[in-house]
Each structure stands twice: as structure tokens, then as C-alpha cells.
Amino acid sequence: MGSNQQVSLNQLLKKTEHYDKDERYMATSDLCEILKKHAASSAGASGGSPSAYASSYQQQQQSVIDASTERRICTAVLKLLDDDSNDVQAIAVKTLGVLLTTVHEEQVIEIADRLCTLVLDSSKSELRDVYTIGLRTLVKTVPLQMGDLVSHRLVGRLIDGIRSNSTVPNGEESSNGDTNDKSAEEITIACLDVMTDLLTRFGSNSVSITRQHEQILGITLSQLASDRHVVRKRAGTTIGSLSTVISDALLVRLVESLLSQIELAEGIGKSGKRKARAARKKETSTADLKVADARSLIRTMCTVSGAVGHRLGQEQIDRIIPIFLRFCEPDDAITGDDQDDDDEEMEDADEQEEDEAAISLANELRESCFAGFESFILRCPREVEPHLKLIIHSALAYIRYDPNYSYGDEDDDEDDDEASAEEEEEEYEEDDDDYSDEEDDDMSDDDDDSWKVRRSAIRALAAVVESSKNDPSKLWIDEYAWRKNKSKKMTVAGALVNRTKEREENCRVDIIDCFTRLLAVTIQAAEEGVVVLASSEAMDTSLGSSPALVIDLNAKYAPAIVKACEKQLGAKKGGERTKSSAMALLSTLSRSPNGVGGATQITSVFTHMKPILSKGADGAQHRKLVSAGSKSLKLDALRLVRTMIASESEHDPVDLKNALLETLLTELCASVQEDWYKIIAEALRVLAEVPPLLAKAWGSADDKSGQKAEMDKVASSLYASIEPRLAAHDLDQEIKECALKATAALLSVLHSSLSSEQSGRLLSLLLERLTNETTRIAAIKTLSSVVSTGSDAQMDEGGDLDLSPILADAVSELSSLLRQQSRGVKQSALESLDIVVRCSGGDALDAALYDSVLKELGAIILDADLHISHLSLCAAISVLKACPSCGESVKANVLPAALNLSTSPLLQDQALDSLLRLFKEIVVTDAVDFAELRTSLESRLSSEDEKTGPHGKQSIGNLGKSIAVITASTSSSNRDAVVKDILATLESKGKKTQEVQLALLISGDLGRLVNLSDMEGVASRLQTIYLASFDSPSEEVKHAAAYALGRSAVGSMQTFLPAILDALEQNNEKKQYLLLSALRELIHCHRLDGSGDIGPSVPLILPHLFTHSTDKEEGVRTMAAECLGSLTCLQPSEILPQLKDLASKHSGTKVSDDASEEEKDAAKKDALACWTVATAVKFAIAGKVDPEQLGPFMPTFLALLKEEDLLVKNTALLMVYSAVHHKPQLVTGLMHEHILPSLYELACLNLKRVVDMGPFKHTVDDALPLRKASLSIFATCLEKCPSSIDIAAFMPVLAKALEDVEDVQLQAHQICISMCTRHPVPVANSVESFVEPLEKTLNKKKGQKTGTELERLNDWIKSALRVIVVLSGVDGAMSNRKFSDLVERTRKNAKYHAMLEAIDEEH
């Protein structure tokens, strides 16, 4: 260390002893900064890795601070902890935390010993808090590698400190008076706090702590009997931390100890005490616990269950929940309305009036019990299922538990007349006066803590809703007696709506949020078909057509929901949180069938939004009622209005329009002038929804009178609000984009109601935004919307929008954007350019502008980006249609690029279709002479041969399609010439293979577009050529002939189909595949085009397909299955019954080992037939067969999963995968009965056998494809239909897959990562089962692997590391000791550092 630094440290150390506290403070602060710099330099030199840190540790220490200086610093800092000044003590503690990361182990141990001694010293009570903070700081900041040493020095002394200072009655207490009792309590609390920190940080990996888990458990359990409340509470916290790291055996012992004591606890309430006495009669012990003791035990049990509830078994859950329910008896949940019902029970001699302290303790106990229920429901849903109804019953009873307040009549049968409603409103407002004030806590009686019980019960119900999200139907239909009068029953949904009258805001908000979540998951379940949300008019038909439960939300719940929300929104002293939650509930209700209701309800909701949004007198009054800064409330109101308008399919658009214009339009327009950018943006979004609403409302109206006046008025208001925001430059980006969106809606729908000056002004601003880089994308979308919808006459009185003021400039700007490097800008510009030219082009633009556009388009038509090429080709087609005189420009600028693209092996799908449409348009408009274009295309074949060698199949196929399209579009004379040349090429000998192949493909694609039988002699000659080509030595020619035969049959079915079927009857095995391939092309084209009627030919085709369904060649069977699948899409009612009969006939065959050869052959044929059926259904599903027609046959097809043949099982799994991927509704209702049992079995099936290959032996696993397919189905189900999977039952399957072969493991890794975000709780509960397989993967030996083998192994290991990293981020996963140990070992291992850094960069 340099001499200057040494002098500086010496001076600072001297100043720490200065008499002036300010000098001491500044010296300590400077010392802290020096130590921080030293710690940072040490970490930088070590590279941040533990191993590097350890190797360079000694060097860093010697180079900066020597041992003697370290000791002096430690002594000085410890001495400062005793300073008289609190500020100096605080900076000393802060310095201590930095110091511990830089000094040697010996100094750390010395500091730990010193601080522990001071904490345990009964004479240091005044500074014990400071010493405790210092010791806790040490535990939290000491380097991990020193954790075991620190734990070794502290754990034993902390245990002794707790034992010697115990405040447990009849224990070893101090007897020197209240002072010693106070000191003992402080020492015990300090020891428990430090112990909690030690367990949290080092509990799972410190041997010193692990060895003493049992002692720690014993001493902390004993403190639960302390007569000091704070000690019991801290002991419970320590036990909660301990439960995450102890072994399963100790955990069972802990739970057993807690439960055995809770079982003896005294009950609370009348019913609870009776059940407690009944329970104690069964016990041999007569011991009893106070309510306070029971409260501590239950709170501790809740802490444990929250931390490690997933480790508790069914037996323990079955004991815990009944005990907790004893303290939450529904009969004891009373309100002020129930007091009269208790008169008959007052004569019970054992019941005496409880004092306020006892009531408070009982309430806290109930609160803890419901917190435990919430934890169990979320973390152990399967184990809690048998007790769920009792928990719901208890929670429903206690959400109304309010013994000191009367709500009046709680029945839901109030009259709907106005007088009753007004009285109820007045009563509600009086209630607000009683319990509301300006603070968040609305309780009028500070001593009344029953609201905490209600809040805890509500949260338990919220957990029930969350656990029932896959099927929430029972929460709408099951009824519970939730009052003292058992005859009055209520569903969960009804009870939540009823309790929106709750007087305490925290509980009121939780109730509304809980019901909002229930409604949201019910709507989601309805979308998945689990339940049906229907109006009362549709109840009968729904019940008859759907097996799902029908919930009449509109008749039974919607009016009550709207009424309850309006009460909250209209309450004079209602809190903002309540109003916000009420609006969120209404927004969710808007997404349900019938929305919030009819015209009356819509108008009422909008009326309640008006004072929130208003700036006038109403708004001033509202701001007095809530708060001065209710910006978020206004934002919520705007979002609700937008949701209601956007959900016009759920509401009558006429009702929406009338209510909006009469009530809210002025306020919405004024909201655009607010100051907060979020409100402005949201207001603009709402205004953007107004014009489409008007269009739909007037479109459905019979009486059009008054339409023009109303449109003009609305358009004027919208223009006045939108134009200033569109013109302003110094605004947030979000406001600019929303202003453009609103402009698009205004110009698209209401352009006829705007003056020419107003339209011109908006268009000029739009053009200005188009040239601005920050608003370019949004302006392009706006222009597209305006052009596409503005050209349609959406209003009877309106005409086309005149875009001439900006059209030329806009097109010029769009074409210039095609030179941009940004693909997003280029794509948006192309889409907009296509729309503009197609809708508003023609004579409005001059030829020079079109020419510049075509030049830009031709430059970006490349196979490097097929989507951009597709968009460019579409734009070129639009230009050619709008201006046929641009043919020369198309020929010069676009055609060369199109010709190059025509032979690209990458060309396919949309780009290919666009290219064909361009060629067709070129011929139709005569932009290029047909003969010239044909010659150019045909020359591509020979020119490419010379440059790059033979073309691939894809290139020749695309070239053939191009020539066929232009031939079909030209004159008949040109077409005859082409056909003549094709026949000459095919009938002559000595032609190149590619020329013959091209001629065959052209003839086939041409035959699909035109009827070749109309040309004399052509069809018969081509038929002979096609069949003769099947004998060609070239495979390419054979497949081209089959393709041409099938495609030609599309246009000339009467000529070519009989030839195909006759050839199939000849049973030439070598040609069967080709003939079936031709048949597939025929059926496939009919399915895609929908042209022609193949129905009459189906009876002729089917026998041949069924005959080949048992063919030995898999390729032939696949072709037959594909034909059957396509036919099923075309004729489902005819094909599906026959497939079902085929499956039923050939399934269920079982052959014993001693069966004859004939029986085995027959069984083999049965298996092949089943294989073909499953494959056909798979193709049908992928081909988008009608699910309603396929659904009834699915159970028969799913029975193939149980076939003995492995190939049939695998194909059936692929069929299920196709169904889950394409049509999940087909299998959602069949998963549990028909699919999941087989999946669980096949996902774990292992059929290994050893194959002797002479020099060596090879192990084959025949079940590997089954496991891979099963896992793929699970993965797709989690994405497409998660409600159909039992996640808890799937977790063992996933754990098994993690230890499978590499391919299966990689699948399992992806599933695990996906589930971390979708299902974090089950993943956290099962994380321990993942530890061993993941660690095995990490420890794979690299051996002598090199090259790709080594790279693949590294990817495998990296995939496992990625899983570990993602799992470590799941809430609760790191609480598992085994997994946290794995994470720590992995991060410490130097060989994984590079991979971990790469993974961190990915995230």
C-alpha cells in the first residue's frame, strides 16, 4: 500500500476518536468510501467469479490493506457502534457491511464473536438494537465462502442465548424483576432475528447449521409457548425459514408438533367451542391452550404451509384443514343483522360475553386460518379438493362477519321501483357518512378489527376462484347457507355481488376484484366451451345442444352487478380505489353476452362516468367528493367507455350511440384537452371508436331521418378535438399515434360531414406526419385505413373521400420509403402503396409517377425476402390494373426481376401466387407479347442450365406453373400452339429430362385451368403419354407424369379419372404409388379450389383407397390415407362413417405368441388398416375438416391409442397432436377419459432391446417415438387448451422426461421453461423432482468428443442450464433446499460461467 494511502487511513482512524461527533461521523463516512473502492477493485480483479475471487483474494489484501491495518479498522468500527451519537452509530453499521466484504476470515470471525457477545450481554440493553443490526448486517453481507465458518461460531451461541433467556412460563426465567424480563425478551428476539437471517442465507448449504437443524427446531418450537406476543411471532417467522431447509422427516415432525398442540386448543365462538370440546374428549390429555397460544401456533402453521405447503402430504392436509375450520365456524360469523337470531342460544351456560381483547385475539386467529386456506388452495389444490366446499362455506360466512354494524335487510329481493332505489341510495350514503373519512382506512371504530377477518376470507375466496379457473361453473351454481338463517342460501357469485355493500374500502375493493376475476375466468371458460353464457331467451336451445353448464348471466347477475357498481360510482364519499375496481368490473362485464344490459343500463353507466370526466360544475363537485388528483380514475373511466363502445357486438349499437351522444360526447371531446398524456391518448382512442359506432348504428336503423344533422354535429365536435392534437408537434409519441388513429376513423366514416377545408386540413396534416420519421409508420397505417374505407360509401348521403390534394405526394413519399433499410417501414409502405393505387389510383396519378413506383418495386423483388417480394408484386399488379398503359414500364422494370424469381428454388406460397397473378395480368393487359413472355420463361430453363447446372424440382415446377398460367390467359390460337409444342416434346425421343419434365408439368397445370378434352385428340394423347411415362427410368419424369395426370383430371374428370381407376385395378405394384399420387392431386385441387363436384365420383374412388389401406408399402398407404383425408374434408358425412366402420372392424385384434402365421398376417393387416385410418383423420384435421361433423366420431378414432401395435399407437398420437394443434375443441372434452390415461402411460413407456450386429451390439428403444409424440401433445395442450390438462398429474411425467434420452430431454426443457410463466405454482411445488435429472445432464462427460458431437453436447448442457436459470426465477422455487443447492453449485462451477453469461445475455 502506498505511503499516502497509509497516512490517509491513519488520519481517518484517529478522527474516529475525535471528541466532536461531526468529525467522527465524517471520518467514518470517508473510511466507508475508501473501503467501497477497495471492495470494487477486488471484485473487478476477480472477474466477478467466486473461484477467481478466491485465487486473487490474498494478493488483493496484501496490495491494499495489510493485516494490522485491518485489525485497527475493525476495532475502530466496532467501537463506533457504542458511540453516543445515533448518526455515528448508523454510519458505523453501514461501514461494517462494506468492511465485511474486504477483510480476512479471521477478522470476520472476530467481529462476529464480538457482536454476538454484545447482543447476549444483558447489561447492554441500550445499544442492543445497534449490535443486532450490526450482526444481521454481517450475516447478510459476509462472502458466501465464509458462511459456514460464521454459522459455526454463531448458531450454538444463539441457541444458548434463546434457551438461557427464555420467556416461556415455568421455564428457566430470570427472577430479578421486570428489567431483567425485558432484557431477556430483547435478547431472545435478537437471537431469533439473527437465526432467521442465518437460516435464510446459509440454512441449506452450511454444514454447521444442517447438523443443528433438530436443535434449532426444538428451541424455536418451545418459544411458541412464550407469554410474550412478539417472541411468539418472531419464533414463528424463524420456524418458517427453517421449514424451507430442513429434511422431510423433520418437516413431518414440525407439522405434527404444531397440529398436536392446535388440536388441544380452545375453540372460539359458540360452535367452535362445542367442536373443540368434542375433539378434546377423544384425547387422553386434558391440556388446553389459550386463544393467544392457538393464534401463534396457527400463524406459524400458516407460515410453514405458505413456504413449503407443496411438501405436505394428503394425510397432513386432511388433519390441518378440519382443525383450522374449527376456528372459522360459519355459525359464529354474525353481523349486526343477526343479533336477534342469537336470542335462543343465549341460555347456553358455557357462553359468556367476551371482552374486547378476547374478540381481537379471536379475529386475529381467524385471519390466520383464512390466510392458511389461501396458501393451501394455491399451493396444494389437489390435496385441498376434498375440503374445498367446507372452506368456501366458511369463507362466504365470514365475508359478511361484522358484529358491530347492521346493513339492514340483506335479502336480494328488493323492489326495483324508483322510490325503493332512492331510499336504498340514501341509506347507502348515510352508511358512507358513518364509516368513511378521507383516509384509506374507513373504519369508524378504531378498535373494530373484524374487517381483517373479512379481508382474509375474501382472499381465500379469490384463491378458490383462481384454482377453479379451468371450470368455474360450481361457483355459479352451488349454494351455501351463509347466514344464521340456514334457509337463506347463496352461490359464491351471488354472495360476492351482494357484499359489494361492504363498508370498509379495503374489503370492498377485494370483493369487487374477486368477482371481476371470477367473471373474467368464466368468460374465458365460455370461449373454450366449458360453460355457456346465454341470455334467458337462449336457455332452452343451449341446454338442448350443449353438454356444458348454461349460466344466464344477463337475467340473474348483470342487473345486480350494474346496480352495485353504480352505487359505488355514485357514492358521495366512496374511495377512488372502489370506483376504479367498479369500472374494471363493468369493463369485464362488457365482454360477456349482452354486456352491461340494454339502453337503460348503458345510459346509467355513462351518466355515472360523466361527473368523473366532466370539467364543469359536475366535475368540480366530483373532485370535491374524491380527491384533487384523480387522474387515474379518469383514465379508468375512459377505458371503460372505450371497452363498451368497442364491444358493440355485445350491446345494441343504437343504444350505445344514443346514450353516448346524449350523455358523454362533450366530456370525451373535452378530455382531449387534459394535461396528462395518458388521458389525452385514451380520450383519442375513445373518439376513434365513435365514427364506426355511428356507422353501424345508422346502418341497422330503419328510420334514417335526422342522420345527416347528427353526423354533421358529431363530425364537427370530433374535428375540433382531434385537429389541434394532430397539428401539435411537441407531444408525446403515444398522443401523436392516437391522434392519427382518430383521424383515420373520422375521415373514413364521416368525411361527407366535414367541409372541404376541414378534410383538406386533416389530409395535409396526415401528409406532414407521413414525412416525419417518428410518426411515419402510424401515418402509413392511417393513410391505408382512410383510402380503403373512405372509398366505400359507408353513409347513404356520403360519397368517396377526395384524396386528390395529397394523393400524388403520398404515393411519391411511399415509393421513396421503399429504399429504406428498415424492413418494417418497407413492408408498411408496400401495403399502403398497394391499397392507395388499387382504391384511388387510375387517372388520378400520371404515368411518370407510376413509372417511378415501378422502378422502386422492381429493385426489391428478390428471393432473399419472399414476403417483401410478394407485397411488391401485389403493388405492381395494382399499378398495371390502374394504368394498363404502364406496360412498357412493367416490362422494363418489373419483368426482369419477376423472371429471375420464377426459377428460384425458394419461391413458394404467397410469393408464388403473386408472381402467377402478375404474369396473368401482363398477358391480359397485353403489356408484353405472349410469345415473347413465353420465350423468356422457357429460356430460363436452358440459361440456368449453362450457369448453375440442372434445375431442382421446385424451380421447374414454378416455371411450369408460370407458363401454364399465361397460356390459360391468352387467346385460343396461342393456347393451341403451346399444347401442340408440348405434345411434340413429349412424343419425340431424345429430349432432355428437364425439358420432358417441364412439358409434363405445364400440361398438368394447364389441364387444371382449362378443359383439355375440348381440344380434339389432346386428352387421349396426353393420357397415353402420362401412363407411358410411369415406365421412364427418370424418377423426376415419373413424378411429373403423376402430377400432370392428377391435375389434368381436374379440368377433364370424365376423361382422366376412369383411366386412373382402371390403372389401379391392374394391380401393378410399381405404379400404385404414382397412380395414388395422381389421385391425391385431383382430390387436393378440388379441396383447395372448391370448383367442380367430386361427389358423384367418390363411390368409385373409395374402394381403391380402402383396398390399399392395408398395403405393405408405407408410401402407398400414406398416399391412400392422404386421399381419404382430403375426401373427408370434401364429403365428411359420407367418408367419416366408413372410416369409423373400417377402424371398428380392424381394431381390438390381439395375437398370442403361439398364434399361426395366418392369424399373425391377419393381425398385421388389421394394424395397417388402423394405421391408415388414423393417418387419414390426421390429414383431415390438418385440412380443416368441419369439427362439428368429425366430433361424434372422435371417440372411435381415439380408441386406436389402446391398440397393441406400436406403429398404430404412434400414428394415433400424431392424430391427437394434429387435433390439439389445429382443432383443440375436438379433443378438449375427451382428454380426461380417452386421451390422458394413454398419454401418461406412453410418456413413460420404455421398450429397450439389444440388436446383435455382429462386431457390436446396438440398443434400440422401440418406445422412443411414442414418448416424443406424447410429450409433444402435452406441450401443445399447455399452449392451446391448458384447461384440459391436470397440471399436478403432469409434473411427474415431466420429471421423468428430464432424465430421458437427449431428444426427449430437450423437449422437456422447452416445456419446463414455458410452464414457468404459465403455471409457476405447480412448477415450484415440483422443482425438487427436477434436481437430480438436471444435475445428471450437467455432469455429462465430454470424453473424446470433438466437432459437431462436442457442440451438440454443449448445447444439451446449455439447455439444462437455461432451465435452471428460468426455474430459479420462479417465485418459491429457491425455497427448496435441493434446488437452491443445485443453483449455487452451478453458479460456483467455473466451467459453466461462459454458458451462464450467454444465457443471461439472451434474457
Side-chain angles (χ1 to χ4, degrees), residues 1040-1051:
Y1043 175 88
L1045 179 58
R1047 297 251 163 169
S1048 297
V1050 177

Side-chain angles (χ1 to χ4, degrees), residues 555-567:
K556 293 185 177 180
Y557 293 98
I561 295 170
V562 174
K563 185 176 181 181
C565 290
E566 288 175 351
K567 280 187 179 181

Side-chain angles (χ1 to χ4, degrees), residues 465 468-477 518 521-523 525 530-531 549 551:
V465 171
S468 306
K469 61 183 178 182
N470 293 333
D471 183 9
S473 57
K474 292 183 179 179
L475 303 182
W476 296 87
I477 59 174
L518 173 58
V521 299
T522 305
I523 294 173
V530 179
V531 299
L549 172 73
I551 300 174

Side-chain angles (χ1 to χ4, degrees), residues 433-717:
D433 294 337
D434 289 340
Y435 63 80
S436 297
D437 53 31
E438 295 179 358
E439 299 176 359
D440 290 339
D441 188 357
D442 298 359
M443 296 302 298
S444 60
D445 185 358
D446 294 336
D447 296 329
D448 184 4
D449 56 0
S450 62
W451 67 272
K452 295 181 181 179
V453 180
R454 299 197 298 277
R455 181 184 61 182
S456 188
I458 296 164
R459 291 176 178 176
L461 281 179
V464 172
V465 171
E466 198 63 34
S467 67
S468 306
K469 61 183 178 182
N470 293 333
D471 183 9
S473 57
K474 292 183 179 179
L475 303 182
W476 296 87
I477 59 174
D478 289 352
E479 294 186 334
Y480 301 86
W482 75 321
R483 295 186 58 180
K484 297 289 287 185
N485 186 348
K486 300 290 182 69
S487 63
K488 297 177 180 178
K489 295 187 176 182
M490 190 76 72
T491 63
V492 173
L496 289 172
V497 175
N498 180 280
R499 286 304 303 170
T500 54
K501 65 179 69 177
E502 166 65 47
R503 66 184 178 117
E504 204 281 324
E505 186 172 24
N506 290 322
C507 298
R508 192 162 61 240
V509 170
D510 284 347
I511 286 173
I512 298 174
D513 291 346
C514 181
F515 185 79
T516 302
R517 179 59 180 162
L518 173 58
L519 186 58
V521 299
T522 305
I523 294 173
Q524 179 65 33
E527 293 173 357
E528 296 176 359
V530 179
V531 299
V532 176
L533 295 177
S535 60
S536 56
E537 294 80 3
M539 288 285 287
D540 296 335
T541 56
S542 298
L543 285 170
S545 61
S546 174
L549 172 73
V550 179
I551 300 174
D552 188 5
L553 188 64
N554 181 47
K556 293 185 177 180
Y557 293 98
I561 295 170
V562 174
K563 185 176 181 181
C565 290
E566 288 175 351
K567 280 187 179 181
Q568 305 302 335
L569 294 171
K572 292 182 178 179
K573 296 186 179 181
E576 289 189 27
R577 291 173 55 219
T578 302
K579 295 179 186 292
S580 179
S581 295
M583 286 187 280
L585 174 54
L586 288 173
S587 296
T588 304
L589 182 63
S590 299
R591 296 192 291 111
S592 66
N594 252 12
V596 300
T600 303
Q601 287 77 20
I602 294 172
T603 303
S604 180
V605 171
F606 283 174
T607 301
H608 283 84
M609 295 299 102
K610 184 173 182 177
I612 299 177
L613 297 174
S614 177
K615 279 189 171 184
D618 292 340
Q621 178 67 18
H622 175 74
R623 282 191 291 275
K624 290 179 181 178
L625 296 179
V626 284
S627 67
S630 57
K631 292 182 178 180
S632 61
L633 200 61
K634 182 172 289 190
L635 184 62
D636 291 337
L638 289 169
R639 286 172 177 164
L640 170 58
V641 174
R642 180 163 64 92
T643 302
M644 291 180 64
I645 298 175
S647 61
E648 56 188 30
S649 60
E650 312 296 348
H651 300 93
D652 186 342
V654 176
D655 294 340
L656 275 174
K657 185 260 297 183
N658 293 338
L660 184 71
L661 299 187
E662 293 173 5
T663 310
L664 270 186
L665 183 61
T666 303
E667 284 71 24
L668 292 176
C669 293
S671 296
V672 179
Q673 307 303 321
E674 290 284 341
D675 298 328
W676 193 25
Y677 77 97
K678 286 190 176 182
I679 292 180
I680 300 173
E682 191 61 33
L684 288 168
R685 290 192 188 98
V686 177
L687 294 183
E689 299 290 344
V690 173
L693 174 63
L694 265 64
K696 189 168 184 179
W698 281 110
S700 61
D702 296 329
D703 184 7
K704 304 291 185 180
S705 61
Q707 175 181 338
K708 176 63 176 174
E710 184 176 89
M711 291 297 174
D712 292 346
K713 181 180 179 181
V714 173
S716 176
S717 299

Side-chain angles (χ1 to χ4, degrees), residues 283 371 626 753 784 1153 1402:
E283 301 291 339
V626 284
S753 298
S784 301
D1153 295 336
E1402 292 175 4

